[in-house]
Amino acid sequence: MSVNHRINQFDFLAAADRIKPHVRRTPVVPSDSLSEKAGVPVYLKLEQLQTTGSFKLRGATNAISKLTADQRQKGVVCVSTGNHGRALAYAAKKAGISCTICMSRLVPQNKVDAIAKLGADIRITGASQDEAQLEADRLVLEEGLVLLPPFDHPDIISGQGTLGLEVLEEIPEVQTVLVPLSGGGLIAGIAAALKAARPSVKVVGLSMERGAAMAASLTAGRPVQVIEEPSLADSLGGGIGLDNQFTFETTRELVDDIVLLTEAEIAAGIRHAYWQERQVVEGSGAVGITGLLAGKINPIGPVAVLLTGCNIDMNLHHRVIAGEDVDLANSEEG
Ligand SMILES: *Cc1c(COP(=O)(O)O)cnc(C)c1O
């Protein structure tokens, strides 16, 4: 498939129109401290302030609004590390559609609680995303629910890509965009939306060192499974699906670089977001800041950093910003 063809399979402008009444236009602010550190202008897109606490509402709202009457009747199901589930539960509730969210035991309790509050049916099964997926697959097969996956779906990718359109409008001279990367729905959408308009923009994905499924898959040249481990970047956990249809190829063709971060580096990103930028950001949402702080990004400016989510357990946040050495692998939080 050609690069142009890959971009044209998504319709970002239509998605932007569709979701506009339901999502917030999040602010962009310059970061003095990161600009100084990087030597080029650095801007933060404060998408952690999105309704439901993450950008995932964009894709979920787009996908829900494209369902047929018959599908709406059946209800939707997904597997999630928490934020997609919360976004889908919110969008489904607003549209009057029943919703089931399957999660593994790794999903933090604060995220499970927020989804329960939205009235979704919750299934906690297994110790990984892949195991929770089996329950979702069963519900599709046995109860006819409609699967709306967290990343590997054109309507999800188109919705997430609307964030890229906004960045281009708000920072027209942007040269590098730093994007937290897990299954790749966000980065595929961002890269395709941005590069359709401006092929020279550099798109960099950031993941945690522990269980970075997309990075491992790109190295292997095909989707591979990784062992999922507890991480401060819990929203970046999980595989990309061995039968990945969209995000693997799109990421391979359109993403310029991938950077992996240690737990200590991610903690430093959360701390910087709080003390310097005065923002509460979850580990997954802080990895762009983290990459700059760790000196792992070649900053061609202006740089846009996407802060993608704020749904961190506030007791954990408290400990991280207080400078405690939090290692989730050796504690009960995981
Ligand atoms: C889901 C998520 C990501 C990663 O998005 P993918 O489309 O899975 O790559 C990044 N940050 C936050 C806060 C998320 O919830």
Side-chain angles (χ1 to χ4, degrees):
M1 209 187 275
S2 75
V3 167
N4 278 339
H5 193 103
R6 197 151 308 280
I7 289 173
N8 292 336
Q9 65 186 327
F10 309 115
D11 193 348
F12 301 109
L13 292 173
D17 278 345
R18 237 178 258 122
I19 71 174
K20 195 169 181 189
H22 307 286
V23 302
R24 263 179 215 150
R25 178 95 188 202
T26 51
V28 167
V29 296
S31 164
D32 291 341
S33 59
L34 291 174
S35 299
E36 196 174 312
K37 164 105 189 142
V40 296
V42 175
Y43 296 90
L44 307 176
K45 172 75 168 164
L46 304 184
E47 183 70 7
Q48 89 279 11
L49 302 177
Q50 186 54 261
T51 308
T52 71
S54 83
F55 72 88
K56 292 266 186 357
L57 188 61
R58 295 171 182 267
T61 301
N62 189 47
I64 287 274
S65 65
K66 288 193 73 180
L67 294 176
T68 64
D70 181 49
Q71 290 174 317
R72 297 168 76 95
Q73 189 65 36
K74 288 181 166 139
V76 294
V77 61
C78 76
V79 54
S80 171
T81 51
N83 285 344
H84 174 63
R86 180 161 169 185
L88 193 68
Y90 180 93
K93 183 179 182 190
K94 239 182 159 184
I97 296 170
S98 73
C99 176
T100 305
I101 312 291
C102 303
M103 288 173 280
S104 82
R105 289 192 298 274
L106 285 183
V107 176
Q109 192 60 37
N110 67 303
K111 291 186 172 175
V112 175
D113 292 345
I115 295 169
K117 258 195 189 153
L118 289 166
D121 188 0
I122 289 174
R123 309 286 170 93
I124 308 286
T125 45
S128 70
Q129 281 269 99
D130 291 335
E131 287 177 29
Q133 181 71 47
L134 298 177
E135 174 68 1
D137 292 343
R138 190 188 66 77
L139 290 167
V140 170
L141 212 65
E142 291 176 13
E143 298 181 23
L145 303 189
V146 178
L147 186 70
L148 289 179
F151 51 86
D152 200 28
H153 187 293
D155 297 335
I156 299 290
I157 296 168
S158 301
Q160 319 304 32
T162 62
L163 191 52
L165 299 181
E166 284 179 26
V167 167
L168 206 52
E169 267 179 47
E170 291 150 358
I171 317 164
E173 67 288 8
V174 66
Q175 298 226 46
T176 305
V177 184
L178 305 185
V179 187
L181 167 61
S182 176
L186 178 62
I187 208 164
I190 299 274
L194 283 176
K195 293 197 176 192
R198 187 111 68 73
S200 66
V201 176
K202 296 266 174 285
V203 177
V204 179
L206 299 105
S207 305
M208 67 293 182
E209 276 182 359
R210 281 186 189 162
M214 183 63 85
S217 299
L218 291 170
T219 302
R222 66 188 158 76
V224 293
Q225 237 158 351
V226 294
I227 295 171
E228 203 174 327
E229 293 178 70
S231 167
L232 279 173
D234 55 274
S235 295
L236 304 184
I240 68 166
L242 293 179
D243 58 348
N244 188 292
Q245 305 285 306
F246 300 98
T247 62
F248 174 69
E249 291 295 342
T250 306
T251 303
R252 173 150 78 173
E253 283 187 22
L254 299 183
V255 171
D256 297 281
D257 200 7
I258 291 185
V259 170
L260 301 182
L261 302 157
T262 66
E263 293 300 301
E265 287 167 342
I266 295 168
I270 296 172
R271 275 198 289 275
H272 176 97
Y274 183 78
W275 293 110
Q276 303 298 322
E277 316 294 346
R278 288 151 199 267
Q279 304 294 334
V280 173
V281 184
E282 61 179 283
S284 311
V287 292
I289 292 178
T290 292
L292 284 170
L293 291 178
K296 290 184 169 175
I297 306 287
N298 172 25
I300 302 169
V303 177
V305 182
L306 307 185
L307 305 189
T308 47
C310 71
N311 295 323
I312 185 170
D313 174 89
M314 287 308 283
N315 291 312
L316 175 61
H317 187 263
H318 184 88
R319 289 166 51 200
V320 172
I321 60 161
E324 195 180 313
D325 184 12
V326 178
D327 187 348
L328 296 180
N330 301 321
S331 70
E332 70 289 355
E333 272 103 343

